[in-house]
Amino acid sequence: MKNQVVLDNRRDVPEATIRRLPVYRHYLKQLESEGVVCVSCTQIANWLSFSPIQVRKDIEFTGVEGKPKIGYELKDLIAHIENFLCFHTKNEAVLIGAGHLGYALLGYHGFKEFGLEIVAAFDNSQDKIDKFINFKKVFSIDKLEEMVSRMKIQIGILTVPASCAQALTDRMVAAGIKAIWNFAPVKINVPKDVVVQHENLASSLAVLSKKIDEQIKRDLK
């Protein structure tokens, strides 16, 4: 099925559901900080302008059980979402390309909250090699295969120009990388047993620009 993934041999989970669950968690953590004990699908749906039915279907995938007329115990719901999304599983990653975007990702402290830790970066620029970015050392790209293999790293974050993305992807896969978070502005090809998540910043900007334009037109009416 299109845009479906399979997790731990459970029911097929729509990718859209997986993308929405962290958004629910963000709202639930906010409620938790305010001392809220229970929450309903309707409350979550109203905050996100979603359908309560959609929220309920998404939450069902986590296995949590609500109570009639009460909803879900907040701490229990948060725990189920985090467990379902494997946020408590530590995953080490390496970053390829310590340019402006790579620098920003290395400086972001929020990844650990979701179980991801970038342990090293690689680049081919002599100006960057052996330097530290947010306490993460930048190594020569020549050391990529040896370090990935030795440290048994399975996740690679790709923030390089399109021209070298595929070649570096092939090197990561050969070294044992099993999942690639691709920020390069090009589609990369990988074997079937390697997971790829493409992040197209241009597409996101296009959507944002279009929405702004539509909002301006509505305001002028």
Side-chain angles (χ1 to χ4, degrees):
M1 290 184 288
K2 186 178 180 180
N3 288 331
Q4 301 274 316
V5 296
V6 179
L7 299 180
D8 301 331
N9 296 319
R10 290 174 285 187
R11 292 180 292 163
D12 287 353
V13 184
E15 184 175 322
T17 291
I18 298 174
R19 288 181 177 274
R20 284 191 292 265
L21 285 172
V23 181
Y24 299 164
R25 175 186 174 276
H26 175 77
Y27 175 58
L28 297 173
K29 295 291 283 187
Q30 178 182 321
L31 293 180
E32 184 180 40
S33 68
E34 297 170 0
V36 175
V37 177
C38 294
V39 66
S40 69
C41 289
T42 301
Q43 285 176 271
I44 299 173
N46 288 341
W47 180 69
L48 293 170
S49 298
F50 285 172
S51 160
I53 295 176
Q54 180 66 72
V55 173
R56 185 175 298 106
K57 287 181 178 179
D58 289 341
I59 290 176
E60 282 179 355
F61 282 106
T62 71
V64 68
E65 295 183 1
K67 299 178 181 179
K69 298 182 180 181
I70 295 178
Y72 304 94
E73 291 186 13
L74 196 63
K75 290 186 181 296
D76 192 32
L77 179 53
I78 291 173
H80 273 76
I81 290 176
E82 291 180 342
N83 181 64
F84 182 80
L85 296 175
C86 303
F87 282 175
H88 298 303
T89 301
K90 181 181 178 181
N91 291 301
E92 294 184 335
V94 293
L95 183 140
I96 317 300
H100 294 300
L101 179 56
Y103 190 100
L105 294 177
L106 288 168
Y108 180 61
H109 298 282
F111 288 138
K112 286 188 177 181
E113 184 179 353
F114 306 111
L116 180 69
E117 181 177 5
I118 302 175
V119 296
F122 296 88
D123 204 281
N124 63 357
S125 172
Q126 292 301 320
D127 293 335
K128 298 171 184 174
I129 293 172
D130 291 332
K131 300 295 193 301
F132 285 83
I133 301 176
N134 190 35
F135 305 105
K136 305 296 192 303
K137 188 174 181 178
V138 179
F139 294 90
S140 168
I141 195 67
D142 295 334
K143 296 183 178 180
L144 174 64
E145 287 86 348
E146 184 272 329
M147 288 187 63
V148 166
S149 178
R150 174 168 54 82
M151 298 175 69
K152 295 181 171 55
I153 303 296
Q154 294 193 316
I155 299 177
I157 303 173
L158 196 59
T159 57
V160 299
S163 59
C164 58
Q166 187 60 55
L168 288 168
T169 294
D170 295 340
R171 291 178 61 178
M172 283 194 288
V173 171
I177 291 291
K178 291 299 182 182
I180 298 175
W181 195 5
N182 178 35
F183 288 87
V186 65
K187 185 178 182 296
I188 54 176
N189 298 310
V190 298
K192 291 183 179 180
D193 62 341
V194 176
V195 177
V196 175
Q197 177 62 43
H198 294 282
E199 295 296 340
N200 193 318
L201 301 182
S203 294
S204 296
L205 179 58
V207 172
L208 177 62
S209 298
K210 184 61 178 176
K211 288 183 177 181
I212 292 173
D213 181 65
E214 292 174 350
Q215 184 61 52
I216 292 173
K217 289 178 180 178
R218 285 194 293 269
D219 291 343
L220 292 174
K221 289 182 180 180

